Amino acid sequence: MSTPELGLPMAVAAPELPARVRIYEVGARDGLQNEKATVPTEVKAEFVRRLADSGLTTIEATSFVHPKWVPQLADAEQLFPLVSDLGRSSGVHLPVLVPNERGLDRALALGARHVALFASATESFAKANLNRTVDESLAMFEPVVSRAKAGKVHVRSYISMCFGDPWEGPVPIHQVVRVCKALMDMGCDELSLGDTIGVATPGHVQTLLAELNEEGVPTSALGVHFHDTYGQALANTLAALQHGVTTVDASAGGLGGCPYAKSATGNLATEDLVWMLQGLGIDTGVDLARLTATSVWMAERLGRPSPSRTVKALSHKE
Amino acid sequence: MSTPELGLPMAVAAPELPARVRIYEVGARDGLQNEKATVPTEVKAEFVRRLADSGLTTIEATSFVHPKWVPQLADAEQLFPLVSDLGRSSGVHLPVLVPNERGLDRALALGARHVALFASATESFAKANLNRTVDESLAMFEPVVSRAKAGKVHVRSYISMCFGDPWEGPVPIHQVVRVCKALMDMGCDELSLGDTIGVATPGHVQTLLAELNEEGVPTSALGVHFHDTYGQALANTLAALQHGVTTVDASAGGLGGCPYAKSATGNLATEDLVWMLQGLGIDTGVDLARLTATSVWMAERLGRPSPSRTVKALSHKE
């Protein structure tokens, strides 16, 4: 039996969706930071290059967190110079995570032009991840944002646990809105709403987005970051697109996950997202075959198959 | 670290979605027919009972296809009497697949009140699966439908390959509409639109539904049957719900799949669907914890873990 390669879905547009979506690729940072294996710096650099070659234009490269907390990314100083030419030569944005002023100093010293903070919507996660209250962590971010903005550096902030929290259960929407507003008031350019444990559903997503708009945070400043723990990530993404969101976080091959979630399944896979967007006729600039090949290549380096359904389907040998 | 069981998503309704969805459970038939292992008849009967106990009200029980073609369901005559009391005692519907008049005879002899046909939208799959052209297979179904309807038996028809076909690529919408209309004109009560190889995306789904309405097939007669080969099943389901669809096929634990698809991932998992519907505040009558326990129990019998993300997350041991 012959089964010709389909490779791409038939494109049929749906009403009231954005014409273009920016994929914010987190595999090299959020993905690799949760890997047990230590990935050689050269392999990470090659991964970032291949992601850029597949058409991704925003690739979070690494994290300037203290190596004690994230040993997998302890080579940030060595890695960043290996890829930073991508920013100059092909206009790719290479944001890096900075947890505090010390992290910002390290990032700025290497010429980073885009940084990302990591805030929490809940007290429990702020305590677990940052050993601070939510307000203490916001106070810690304030000089980071003001110094970055003074240097014309673009600032994103992640907000973790926007929908549910493993200690606190469902997270009240007003609590998420308060943290988002504080970060916008501080001068952040962009927020990424994280469903860190993957419990969100589409109505919850649209309601949070509407409440944020109501409180003055425009959709244009909002990205979404869904985890697939309960298989909801792509449906939630569709709901966000229908609300007008045009920035979607995803991880090539579905790399990574949240160590606090009750399952190994983690980030929305970039390939599954691209399949849907391509099918909807939404432009992303990504070459799906090339991206899939990159994830297969990385999976071979990590010694385990990609959890992405699209990668599995497209790389399946008869 | 303590991670209290969340167990259920926070319910936040979304506008313009149905208040109630009927889940058409296909695990016992579509799921098990693709299993390599032969499952004992008693285990199948216990599976159907447990599915009913978890609140599912439509459970496709087995298939009266020739045992040569689907040896896994060769025990249909033995199985059906073991579960048919569920229909009488608790109002659960127990449809069975009938490929032709011979299958219908066998089903009627055992008192089946709901039958399902298996049509194809493409010539290639009609040839591969039924060894007939599409028109020849429709002609074969005609006496099955008329005799079933004369006996006041409810008739559903699956239509396979409604979006893409492994031999033909993307399937033109008018071709699907023609087959659907023919089946409705024949007297079918209900159609199930199958994305047998999992390539559909949300705009394609909504466009097909709209075209069917345009040609006189009401949404109330339409169910959707998505496969998760490219991770799109739940997003496509959301799109169908937004169009007004209230019947969704799913397979407990994500059992089964299509042997022609280029990957092992198959049916939309009932648990992942229930998580989304519960989160949207849509009534299904299903107890998610009980259903998950049923899928874990069945996975133990099959000797491999459930591919459902929700089953994995809810059954994960710390």
Side-chain angles (χ1 to χ4, degrees), chain B residues 130-195:
Chain B
L130 304 165
N131 198 27
R132 279 171 173 77
T133 67
V134 167
D135 285 336
E136 285 165 357
S137 62
L138 291 172
M140 175 176 74
F141 295 144
E142 197 147 2
V144 181
V145 177
S146 61
R147 287 183 48 207
K149 293 313 300 170
K152 300 199 190 320
V153 167
H154 184 276
V155 183
R156 147 183 275 225
S157 181
Y158 291 97
I159 300 101
S160 292
M161 306 294 175
C162 287
F163 300 91
D165 174 289
W167 299 274
E168 301 180 15
V171 178
I173 284 173
H174 66 85
Q175 189 173 319
V176 184
V177 171
R178 185 182 81 85
V179 174
C180 289
K181 278 197 64 172
L183 288 160
M184 290 301 285
D185 289 346
M186 222 176 264
C188 286
D189 298 292
E190 168 184 342
L191 305 179
S192 170
L193 306 170
D195 181 19

Side-chain angles (χ1 to χ4, degrees), chain A residues 129-142:
Chain A
N129 198 50
L130 304 165
N131 199 27
R132 280 171 172 76
T133 66
V134 167
D135 284 337
E136 285 165 0
S137 62
L138 291 173
M140 174 176 75
F141 295 142
E142 198 146 1

Side-chain angles (χ1 to χ4, degrees), chain A residues 35-258:
Chain A
E35 281 300 320
K36 284 208 182 92
T38 304
V39 179
T41 308
E42 269 302 339
V43 171
K44 291 177 185 171
E46 178 67 17
F47 184 41
V48 171
R49 283 183 190 289
R50 289 181 186 226
L51 292 171
D53 276 349
S54 75
L56 289 159
T57 53
T58 306
I59 304 168
E60 200 165 275
T62 186
S63 170
F64 289 94
V65 66
H66 194 288
K68 189 170 107 186
W69 303 117
V70 185
Q72 295 89 337
L73 303 183
D75 60 353
E77 252 89 13
Q78 290 73 52
L79 172 67
F80 194 75
L82 295 178
V83 295
S84 56
D85 64 300
L86 285 171
R88 287 184 293 275
S89 63
S90 51
V92 171
H93 291 170
L94 295 167
V96 292
L97 199 74
V98 296
N100 49 31
E101 285 196 82
R102 172 80 189 100
L104 179 69
D105 290 336
R106 293 168 62 201
L108 294 180
L110 292 170
R113 304 303 304 153
H114 296 76
V115 298
L117 306 169
F118 201 75
S120 169
T122 68
E123 294 295 343
S124 300
F125 190 66
K127 185 76 188 167
N129 198 50
L130 304 165
N131 199 27
R132 280 171 172 76
T133 66
V134 167
D135 284 337
E136 285 165 0
S137 62
L138 291 173
M140 174 176 75
F141 295 142
E142 198 146 1
V144 182
V145 178
S146 62
R147 286 184 48 208
K149 293 312 300 169
K152 299 198 192 316
V153 168
H154 183 275
V155 182
R156 149 183 272 223
S157 181
Y158 290 98
I159 300 101
S160 291
M161 307 295 174
C162 286
F163 300 90
D165 173 290
W167 300 274
E168 301 180 16
V171 178
I173 285 173
H174 66 84
Q175 189 174 316
V176 183
V177 171
R178 184 182 81 86
V179 174
C180 289
K181 278 197 63 171
L183 288 160
M184 290 301 286
D185 290 346
M186 223 176 262
C188 286
D189 297 292
E190 168 183 342
L191 304 179
S192 170
L193 305 170
D195 181 18
T196 318
I197 59 169
V199 295
T201 47
H204 196 165
V205 170
Q206 291 182 336
T207 302
L208 173 58
L209 291 166
E211 288 287 321
L212 283 163
N213 295 163
E214 197 75 26
E215 296 294 324
V217 182
T219 303
S220 59
L222 295 169
V224 287
H225 185 109
F226 295 123
H227 280 215
D228 213 22
T229 322
Y230 296 81
Q232 311 293 308
L234 203 57
N236 289 337
T237 300
L238 178 62
L241 297 177
Q242 289 170 338
H243 188 86
V245 166
T246 58
T247 296
V248 181
D249 296 7
S251 175
L255 277 179
C258 171

Side-chain angles (χ1 to χ4, degrees), chain B residues 32-80:
Chain B
L32 295 184
Q33 82 172 31
N34 290 308
E35 279 301 319
K36 284 208 182 98
T38 304
V39 180
T41 308
E42 270 302 337
V43 171
K44 290 177 185 169
E46 178 68 18
F47 184 41
V48 171
R49 283 181 190 290
R50 289 183 186 224
L51 292 171
D53 278 349
S54 75
L56 290 159
T57 54
T58 305
I59 304 169
E60 201 165 274
T62 185
S63 169
F64 289 94
V65 66
H66 195 288
K68 188 171 110 186
W69 302 117
V70 185
Q72 295 90 336
L73 303 183
D75 60 354
E77 253 88 14
Q78 290 73 51
L79 172 67
F80 194 76

